[in-house]
Amino acid sequence: MRINNYISASGFCSRREADALIIAKKVKINGRLAEIGSQVKEKDRVEVNGKRIEQKKKHVYIMLNKPIGVVCTTEGKIRNNIVDFVGYKERIFPIGRLDKDSEGLILLTSDGSIVNEILREENQHDKEYQVIVNKAITSDFLNQMSEGVTIFNPVKKKHEKTKPCTLNKIDEKKFSIVLSQGLNRQIRRMCEALGYQVVGLKRVRIMHIKLGKLKTGMWRELSEAELNGLVKKKEKSAKK
């Protein structure tokens, strides 16, 4: 197993954070400094800042119905961070993010190796949202949204057209949308580009996992069926 995967699978941090620790020469394998891409065998001793890191035998996978105001970060110094809100006894990570002013389904886990695999844009994992806007929804709005809207991508620092998506009108000012992308505040910025303001946004599904009747602010462990589906998607993503 690659060293960054080993560290993230232990629940210590994400793969990206593990890479940063390796570059900073804070990681050792059997007493020798690790390098990016170093391999770890079953009986190897891995240390980070002099502390031994071992993989957990069983990872935690939970789903939360995130309330508005909770911030999807592991930074303990940030008020209302999602880790403190859940208060789980083990170290966990959110898989992706949900804006502070949005609510609904988000997954958290101690399995750091799954995070990047699930979030890879090229894997096109569906996420479904229910959105309320400030004025009546027109057919033109639905068509333009579904075909893609040109918005600014802060990561690539340029304007680009969003990928086609599926929309369904629920009532006069409410619609559902299924995205395979995960751009920052994507739905809000798509709506703004078409002259609409989002006044309510709730994620109700991630891939095969549905929010269902889980109440706001509550969390539960994934069922066996939900977990099996998630692990299969992880394994499929890892082969790409």
Side-chain angles (χ1 to χ4, degrees):
M1 180 183 292
R2 288 169 66 95
I3 181 63
N4 59 352
N5 280 337
Y6 184 93
I7 294 173
S8 63
S10 74
F12 185 84
C13 64
S14 69
R15 288 196 309 179
R16 182 175 297 178
E17 291 169 329
D19 284 336
L21 290 169
I22 295 166
I23 293 171
K25 300 185 183 301
K26 295 182 178 181
V27 180
K28 291 183 177 181
I29 303 175
N30 299 327
R32 295 185 177 184
L33 287 175
E35 298 178 351
I36 298 295
S38 292
Q39 296 289 320
V40 180
K41 298 179 182 178
E42 184 177 353
K43 295 183 179 181
D44 286 343
R45 180 184 180 92
V46 176
E47 296 175 316
V48 177
N49 288 324
K51 180 180 178 181
R52 187 169 185 177
I53 300 298
E54 296 180 304
Q55 286 189 314
K56 297 177 181 178
K57 294 182 179 180
K58 184 178 181 181
H59 283 296
V60 176
Y61 303 87
I62 68 175
M63 61 184 292
L64 165 71
N65 187 345
K66 186 189 88 68
I68 294 172
V70 172
V71 184
C72 292
T73 180
T74 58
E75 291 290 335
K77 63 183 179 181
I78 295 180
R79 185 182 178 188
N80 294 328
N81 70 80
I82 193 169
V83 175
D84 286 346
F85 179 82
V86 174
Y88 200 79
K89 59 184 178 181
E90 297 180 28
R91 183 182 175 90
I92 55 175
F93 305 85
I95 301 180
R97 69 173 69 184
L98 197 55
D99 295 337
K100 180 180 180 180
D101 47 0
S102 299
E103 61 181 321
L105 177 61
I106 186 163
L107 305 178
L108 299 100
T109 182
S110 61
D111 182 2
S113 67
I114 201 172
V115 177
N116 290 332
E117 302 294 351
I118 296 299
L119 294 180
R120 281 182 183 173
E121 185 174 325
E122 61 266 30
N123 291 331
Q124 298 186 357
H125 296 309
D126 286 347
K127 297 174 288 293
E128 183 177 353
Y129 303 79
Q130 291 184 354
V131 187
I132 302 174
V133 289
N134 63 330
K135 57 184 179 180
I137 297 168
T138 65
S139 58
D140 285 342
F141 171 81
L142 294 174
N143 290 334
Q144 290 182 70
M145 287 282 287
S146 64
E147 292 173 0
V149 179
T150 299
I151 60 175
F152 183 74
N153 186 330
V155 176
K156 297 181 180 179
K157 297 183 179 180
K158 66 177 184 179
H159 285 83
E160 64 177 49
K161 190 173 183 179
T162 60
K163 293 181 179 180
C165 55
T166 302
L167 277 82
N168 286 297
K169 185 176 179 180
I170 297 175
D171 59 33
E172 184 183 25
K173 298 181 181 180
K174 185 176 182 180
F175 66 94
S176 66
I177 181 171
V178 178
L179 299 178
S180 60
Q181 279 181 297
L183 302 179
N184 185 39
R185 299 178 69 84
Q186 180 175 343
I187 297 173
R188 296 179 187 276
R189 292 192 290 127
M190 289 172 70
C191 290
E192 288 171 1
L194 299 179
Y196 284 74
Q197 295 293 320
V198 172
V199 297
L201 193 154
K202 184 174 186 178
R203 184 157 63 195
V204 296
R205 178 173 64 84
I206 299 174
M207 299 177 289
H208 63 289
I209 301 173
K210 298 179 180 180
L211 182 62
K213 296 181 180 180
L214 187 65
K215 295 182 179 180
T216 301
M218 302 299 291
W219 61 267
R220 66 168 175 82
E221 294 188 1
L222 296 186
S223 68
E224 185 175 351
E226 291 168 335
L227 179 56
N228 287 341
L230 190 65
V231 171
K232 286 180 181 178
K233 285 180 170 63
K234 170 192 171 182
E235 293 172 346
K236 183 178 180 180
S237 297
K239 293 178 182 178
K240 292 185 178 181

